[in-house]
Every structure is written in C-alpha cells, then in structure tokens.
Amino acid sequence: MSQNFAARLTRQPIAYDRDQATDIATSFADLAPDLRGLLANTAGCSPYLKALMLREAQWLRVALNLSPETAFNAVLVALNDVALDQLPTSLRQAKRRAALLTALADLGGVWSLMQVTRALTDLADRAVDLAMQRLVADEIRRGKLPGATPDDAATAGGMVSLAMGKMGAGELNYSSDIDLICLFDQDRYGDDWQDARAAFIRVTRKMAVMLSDITAEGYVFRTDLRLRPDASVMPVCLSMAAAEAYYEAQGRTWERAAYIKARPCGGDIAAGNRFLKTLTPFVWRKHLDFAAIQDAHDMRLRIREHRGLNGAVTVEGHNMKLGQGGIREIEFFTQTRQLIAGGRDISLRDRTTLGGLKALAAKDWLPFEVATDLSTLYVQHRDLEHRIQMVNDEQTHNLPTTPEGIARIAAFCGQDEASFRTDLLDRLSRTDRLTEGFFAPSAVESGPDLSDHAAQIVKGWSSYPALRSDRAAAIFLRLRPILLKRLTRAANPDEALVALDGFLAGLPSGVQIFSLFEANPQLVDLIIDIAGTAPALARYLSRNASVLDAVIGGAFFAIWPTPAALTAELSKRLDDIPDYERKLDAARRWMKEWHFRIGVHHLRGLIDGFEAGKQYADLADAVIAAIWPVVCTDFAAKHGQAPGRGAVVLGMGSLGAGRLNAGSDLDLIMIYDAAGVENSHGKRPLAARPYYARLTQAMVTALSAQMAEGRLYEVDVRLRPSGRQGPVATSIESFRNYQAHEAWTWEHLALTRARVLAGEPTLAAEVEAFRRETIAVKGQGATVLKDVADMRARLAEAKPGAGGWDAKFGPGRMMDIELLAQTVALQTASPARGVERQIAAGGAITGGTTAKLSVSDQTALLDAYRLCWQMQAASKLLSDKPLDPATLGLGGVAFLLREAGEASITSLTERLLRQAALAEQVISAHLNG
C-alpha cells in the first residue's frame, strides 16, 4: 500500500492515564487530529512507548507522513553500510524506531497481526545477519578463520544461524527474545575445522552480547542459544555434522516440533537450507506419528506444573502464553497435527501457526470451523500479548495481578474493563475446549465379560513384544477394553479374537500403532472387521502396520485413480528421493498402502472381485512404469546408456490380461534392440547382450528383493523364449526368430495375453505389431487344437485340482477356461487379452470353423469363469491356502457367499459343480474338434 499512516487508521486504544496522554498531545500538537489522538492514547497506556515518542520525535514526524512499509524499509536500509564498531549503536536505534512504528501500526489497525510480527522478524533477521557478517569479517581480518578471504564474510564463512520458534515462523512478538541455533559447515575447512569452530564460537558469543546487552541506547534482541543440541555441554556454535548426529541418535519430540519452524536467518543461508533438508527424516516421519500427541500432552503438563499454572483460570496474573486456553495450546495443537501427518504431506509443513491451521483444514485433518475459530482466537491472544508487553517493553505473557493493571490493559485494547474480562474468559474457555480433548488421554473403560478361553488369550498379550515398554502398555490399557467390546460385534467373536491375537503377536512394537488406534477409533472397527473375516490379512497388517496410515490420509475411500495418475504419483514421489535404495523402499511403502486399500474395499463390499482384479493390475502397471526408469538411470550411471534403441518390459499371463488377485506374482519378459551397437559407454562399459541381461536382473531385483520395507512383488521370468535355458533378456531379432520357428503352441497362447508395460515407445509399438502378426499366422496351424488338448491333459495330470471350492484348477474351472479363451483368441487372430473378450471373439466369427462358439457355449464358459474368479479373488484375500469352508471361519464364509451371491455353503458348492461341468463340456467339445 502507498497510503500514508493516517489514511489507514482503523482503531485506537483508550487512554488509561489522561495526564500522560495530554502531555504527548501537547508535544505533537502539529500532527493531524487522528494521528495525535493515536499517539496520545498510546502514551496514556504505555510509559515505554511514550518515552520512545519523545526520544525519536523528529524521526517519527517524518515516518508518519510515509506509508509504514516505506518508513520501516528505510530503517533497515540505513544499516547496510554500518561498520562493526558502530553496529551495536545503529542496531539499537533501528530497534527503537521499529518498535515504535510497529506498535503504532498495530494499535492503529494499520497493519494486521502477521504484518506486525513479520516486520519485527525482518529486523531480527537483519540484525543477526549483519552481526555475523561483520564479526566473521573481523575474524578473517585477524587471520583466525583458516583459508577464508574477505569475500567469505558475505556468507559468514559457512556459519549459519537458524531462527527457531516464533522468529523462524516470522511470528516474533513485540518484546520477544530470539532463539538461535548457530552451526557451521565443517566440510568447508577440512582438517582445520577445529580452528574454524573456535572462531565461530567467538563470533556467536560476541553476537549474543551485541544483540542482548542493555546500554544507554537500549538493546536489540535478547538472544537465547539454549535450543541447540545438548546445550549444557555443547559449545554455542557446533558443526552441522555434530548436530545431525545428535538429532539422529537422541532427538526428542519437542526438538522435532521446534524444527517445524526452523529457518536460516543469517550467514550462509544455502548451507542452512541444506542442513534442514538433511533433518527432514528426523522432523517429518514417513509414517503417521500419533505418538506425538502423548508427547505433546506430557510436555504441556510439565510446563504447567513447572510454572504453577494448573490452578483455576482467573484474569489477574493469567499467563497468555502457557496458561490454560493460551497461545501455546493453539501452537501445540497445530504443530502436533503437523508432526502426525507432515511426513506424508509436504503441504502441511507450514512454519506459521495460521498457515498450519489453514493447511490442516484444507487436507481435512481439522474441521474448517475449528481451524477458523482457532485462527481467530490465536490472533486475539497475540494482540493481547503484544499489549501486555508494550506497556513497559517486558518479555512477559502474564496479565497484571491488580485490578488497576487489568484496567490499563483493557484500555490498551480499546475496551472497558468489564467487557474485557468477560471476553477474555470466554476466549480462554473456547481455546481450552477446542484443544484439550485432542491432547488429554481418554479414561480407561471397563471391558466386557470374557469366557475362560478368551481370558486366557487376553492374559497372554502382556508378554508380546509390542507391549514390553511401559508407554505402550499404558496406551494399550486404555485401548484394550475398546478392542474387546468391538470384538463382540464380529460374526464369530471367538474367531476374531484368535485373529486379533495373531495380529498383536506379530507387532514388533506398539507405541505408534496403539497411539494411531487411540486417536482414530474407526481403525479399531477396521481391524476387528479384518480379524473377523480375513485372519491372513490381519497377520499381514501386523508386519506392515504402516499401511494403516493411508486409511486416515484423506483419500482412502476416494474414487480409484487412472493408471496414468497412479504412475505419475509414484514417479513424483521417487523423483523427490536422491538415493536409489531409498527410492525402492519408498515404492514399497507406496505400493503396500494402495494394495491394502484394494483389499479393504473388496472386503467391505465397496468393489467386487473383478474391480479388485483390475485395480491390482493397475497398481502393478504403475509400479513397473515408475520403477523401470529409476532402474535404468541407476544402471546407466554405472555402465553407460543402453546400447541401441533400448528395451521394453512385457507383462505376461494375468498381468498382461490386466487382472490380478491379492497374492499374484508378476510374469515378465524383457525384449531389447541394440540396433547394431556392440557396447555401452560408461564407467564400466558392457557388451550389449550382458548389458541387457544384467539390466533385466536389476529390474527383477528392484521388484522382488526383500528390503527394509519388504518386497514389491514376486517375479517370474520363465515365460521368456526357451524358458530357464534362454537368456533373461531377448533381442527383438531373436524374439522374432524364436516365435516364428521354434516356439511351441503354448508359447503362442501366452502371447495372446502379452502387453508392453514400460520402455522405449517405438520398440513397444514394434513388439505389439509383431504379437498381432504372430497370433494371426500361428493360430491357423493344423495342430493347434491337438497341441492344446495334449497340454490340457498334462496340466490336468500335474494339477488336477482339489475339488470342492478349488476355483482355479480342475475341469471347467478358471485355468481350464482361460486355456480355451487363449486358444480361441489364437484361432481367431484376436488381439484381445481378457478372457471375456477372447471368448467373445469366438462368437463373432461367421461360418462353421472350429473356433466358433455358440451363444450358449459362451454363456456356459463365462458363467463358470465369473464365479471362479470371484471365488479365487476372495480366497486370495482371505488366505494363501486352498479354500475350505470347514476352516474358513464364519466371517470368511460370509464374505465368500456375499461375493458369489449365494445364501449357503451348499448352494455355492452345487452351483460351482454345475457351472464347471457345463464349461468342461464346452471346452472338451471345442478341443476335440
């Protein structure tokens, strides 16, 4: 804004001391009435500001004729060329003028709260940076900083001050001290780093004195260096390496919260930002961190106890920062929720309290109205805090202890005393009501009565690894009755209890997961639902509990994204991670969350088995498409770019057909085109054939290796030409020649479902075109049906099926129908990959060929296939063992019956047998010509 100060006035305090107000009104009688009134009323409430007005009267008259932004900027610019010996005096003058200008802008409503705090912070930043530059320049001049030149003073020779707390967030209060952590880049000085450290320790101490000491000119900012690592023993300036090692080994939750607001404010800003980036894993945990709630609650209680702030709320003497319903409650509330979810969502990592509340509401971590109310309360609390401090420039947050003192503060706020008291108590109560429930642990409920068998199981929980720590046990004590009550709602509570017992037994630790459950009761219902229906999924959860983060991450029940969107999301996540192995671990975490989502949606009936099959395939597609370039880039860094055109990854089997189940592995083939290029060109060049063979092995390892976050998929590459005897990567020329002259009919059948998933686009198009050509030619062979019939007989002998509810193996069941579908696709030269479209291809042809399928044949095949797939998809979610209704449990049986649309075990068994028999007749008739 360009308007001058007077044009922007919107409010004024009420003069508490009329005599003091009259004195200032007389001294500034030459000013316009509104400005004179603001100065007079301010002086009637604040002896400190009155003294500043008189001391800086000449400057103030000029400043008030300008816009406040212009006047404030001039205060900062005046410091630019000040020498070291004059800097303490000049900084104090700047502080006086800035304090007076910001106070009047605040009291007159010219600036918002955040403009006021930003201006105070800008002054602090400038003071710290100038002090560091001048003091480091002096160390360089005296030859005390090894290898440094005068030019290095501009970045303080690699030293940086991190602004913490309110300064870091740009939220300094009116009489705030400043919290700094001073560090230096040890690597910049090699073997001389200890001499450099000694110089930077001197700089830090001199800077603290320069800013903090009270002289006849006043002071700049009280400077607190105690937030540094292990402040009782560590020097006032330490190396970044030492600080990083400390946080990695000993960092506590309060230090994590402190670093939410950390910001380089002076010296080598770039080095400071690099250091903060290294601390990202410490501050922002990769999993949702609900244990931080208890840490924050304990910290609040310790602060209150230490300060004696646990009594009833009264206006006199109330601490607006640390007391009940105060500023710190809102800050803790915001920061704790940021710590919980900020590791997964960088949009929540706002340094400011108001910005943090807004971000949390935008991502549904807070109701919008709660964020709005707390934001309003925060601004009102901070406004009052400023007025308390403005009276005598005291770093205090306590309201006066006398009625007279309260009356002065009320007038400073522009209110009468009675209204002030009523409004303040209401604001404190509202703040407490909005925040206290989030922090305070719930009371321990009484649990339900247990049978002797159940009581024995529950008794054993205390010995599990997850409950060995006192903290985990304390949280679980509150959680246990809730779990047991929910169990009574399961279809078979005893079965669900046994499954829950397996889940708890498999947990390696408990604090995080129990805190997650306590803060999100809906997860308890989900766990009980899973335990009562799919015990295998419950056991999986105990080993991969972090996937539960996704349930409360905001989009767990959103519409399924497109494959392209999934790929883009994973690719972006991997792009942000520099280390190869960390990329692979991140991909594992990401995949498991989406994989778990599909299973939960299927289990709860939000999608059926066919939708689940498509989503599992979309997920695998996205993983391969995103991982492939990562693997290629890492491999090229060692061995050079791929020779020739490059390679493609071909999905086979169910992956190629775009339908997987919860336990599917991936069938892959790698095809490459070296285009006559014999070698790669890199640090360790390779000939083309071994290059692509090892690249294939690297891709398989990236997908299947067991890492800290588990594996992505089991991978099978045996469908490549010549199977186990053939090379793991096949050139396009060899692939063409093999399919044309050596491949068996079953390999041509496999080609009907092949699909390029990743790789060089022109090669992908060539492979697809060749696939279609080969199907068209090879499907017309005279021996196709006989070959398939022979293969079917061998499969029946090798995998006859278990009968009963075995949906995959056996006559007329899933594998049998898929075999016929591929045969029809081969005979009809259909490019279709899915069973339904391949079977439909047999009905679309005219004439009496052996590929023809009547409408009744198609119906028999599809009815049987759809039932078998629904049962297979459900069974792989429930267990990795063959389906047996006798051991499946009531919850699992109910799920399976729901998926099949049947009312009883008997009716489902009869239907499966009936439909499989009809399908078997069609298959046998077709293959026998």
Side-chain angles (χ1 to χ4, degrees), residues 166-343:
K166 286 185 168 62
M167 183 180 177
E171 298 175 336
L172 278 183
N173 59 47
Y174 190 74
S175 296
S176 185
D177 58 5
I178 58 175
D179 294 301
L180 301 177
I181 293 178
C182 296
L183 306 169
F184 72 96
D185 185 357
Q186 177 177 330
D187 294 339
R188 187 163 172 170
Y189 292 95
D191 293 339
D192 295 325
W193 69 270
Q194 289 181 314
D195 291 336
R197 182 179 70 171
F200 290 133
I201 289 172
R202 286 192 297 273
V203 168
T204 303
R205 288 174 174 159
K206 290 177 181 178
M207 175 178 67
V209 169
M210 181 188 296
L211 299 179
S212 301
D213 274 8
I214 300 174
T215 71
E217 300 291 329
Y219 70 100
V220 189
F221 288 98
R222 288 173 290 268
T223 304
D224 192 336
L225 304 173
R226 292 174 296 174
L227 286 185
R228 68 185 184 276
D230 210 353
S232 61
V233 297
M234 287 283 199
V236 291
C237 183
L238 61 157
S239 72
M240 293 177 183
E244 184 180 353
Y246 166 84
Y247 291 122
E248 184 176 312
Q250 303 177 49
R252 290 159 289 183
T253 298
W254 74 262
E255 289 171 309
R256 292 176 55 209
Y259 268 94
I260 291 178
K261 297 180 181 295
R263 174 180 58 85
C265 67
D268 193 337
I269 302 297
N273 282 321
R274 288 195 299 273
F275 173 75
L276 290 180
K277 189 172 183 178
T278 66
L279 287 195
T280 298
F282 164 67
V283 181
W284 304 107
R285 301 290 166 81
K286 61 189 176 185
H287 303 308
L288 296 177
D289 185 14
F290 280 91
I293 298 174
Q294 184 68 43
D295 288 338
H297 177 64
D298 292 344
M299 196 185 317
R300 291 165 66 242
L301 296 183
R302 285 196 299 271
I303 291 170
R304 286 188 187 177
E305 187 68 31
H306 177 68
R307 302 267 182 157
L309 301 174
N310 283 323
V313 176
T314 59
V315 173
E316 276 81 2
H318 189 74
N319 188 306
M320 287 303 302
K321 178 179 180 180
L322 303 176
Q324 185 174 326
I327 294 166
R328 184 57 57 85
E329 304 283 84
I330 301 173
E331 292 173 341
F332 269 22
F333 179 91
T334 306
Q335 290 170 19
T336 303
R337 285 181 177 265
Q338 287 176 292
L339 283 179
I340 288 169

Side-chain angles (χ1 to χ4, degrees), residues 804-888:
W805 278 11
D806 187 342
K808 184 173 184 180
F809 298 112
R813 306 206 180 196
M814 197 170 77
M815 287 285 287
D816 210 20
I817 298 169
E818 288 177 345
L819 181 65
L820 179 66
Q822 292 167 50
T823 302
V824 170
L826 191 63
Q827 289 182 293
T828 60
S830 170
R833 298 179 177 90
V835 169
E836 295 90 343
R837 292 182 60 200
Q838 289 179 336
I839 289 174
I845 60 175
T846 57
T849 73
T850 57
K852 176 71 176 176
L853 288 174
S854 68
V855 172
S856 61
D857 288 347
Q858 293 178 61
T859 300
L861 291 169
L862 290 176
D863 284 350
Y865 174 75
R866 286 168 180 150
L867 177 61
C868 287
W869 175 261
Q870 292 279 37
M871 293 182 68
Q872 178 71 1
S875 74
K876 290 301 181 181
L877 184 60
L878 296 175
S879 174
D880 54 2
K881 297 180 176 60
L883 281 181
D884 181 355
T887 60
L888 196 55

Side-chain angles (χ1 to χ4, degrees), residues 716-790:
D716 191 337
V717 294
R718 290 176 296 176
L719 288 181
R720 67 186 185 271
S722 301
R724 284 196 177 97
Q725 285 71 45
V728 292
T730 306
S731 71
I732 184 64
E733 297 89 350
S734 297
F735 185 69
R736 283 179 173 278
N737 183 66
Y738 182 85
Q739 291 290 342
H741 305 295
E742 300 179 48
W744 296 71
T745 298
W746 73 263
E747 292 174 290
H748 296 140
L749 293 177
L751 210 56
T752 66
R753 301 207 287 181
R755 180 166 59 96
V756 176
L757 305 177
E760 203 282 324
T762 63
L763 182 57
E766 184 177 334
V767 169
E768 173 60 15
F770 176 70
R771 181 187 82 92
R772 296 185 179 215
E773 293 168 11
T774 303
I775 292 171
V777 172
K778 296 299 182 179
Q780 308 312 309
T783 64
V784 167
L785 288 182
K786 180 180 182 303
D787 291 344
V788 175
D790 290 345

Side-chain angles (χ1 to χ4, degrees), residues 541-560:
L541 269 181
S542 68
R543 300 188 301 272
N544 300 278
S546 63
V547 299
L548 289 169
D549 292 354
V551 181
I552 53 177
F556 189 77
F557 293 103
I559 296 172
W560 181 256

Side-chain angles (χ1 to χ4, degrees), residues 119-135:
L120 293 168
T121 305
D122 287 345
L123 175 64
D125 286 356
R126 192 76 182 111
V128 170
D129 190 43
L130 280 174
M132 291 177 66
Q133 288 186 38
R134 301 294 188 268
L135 290 167

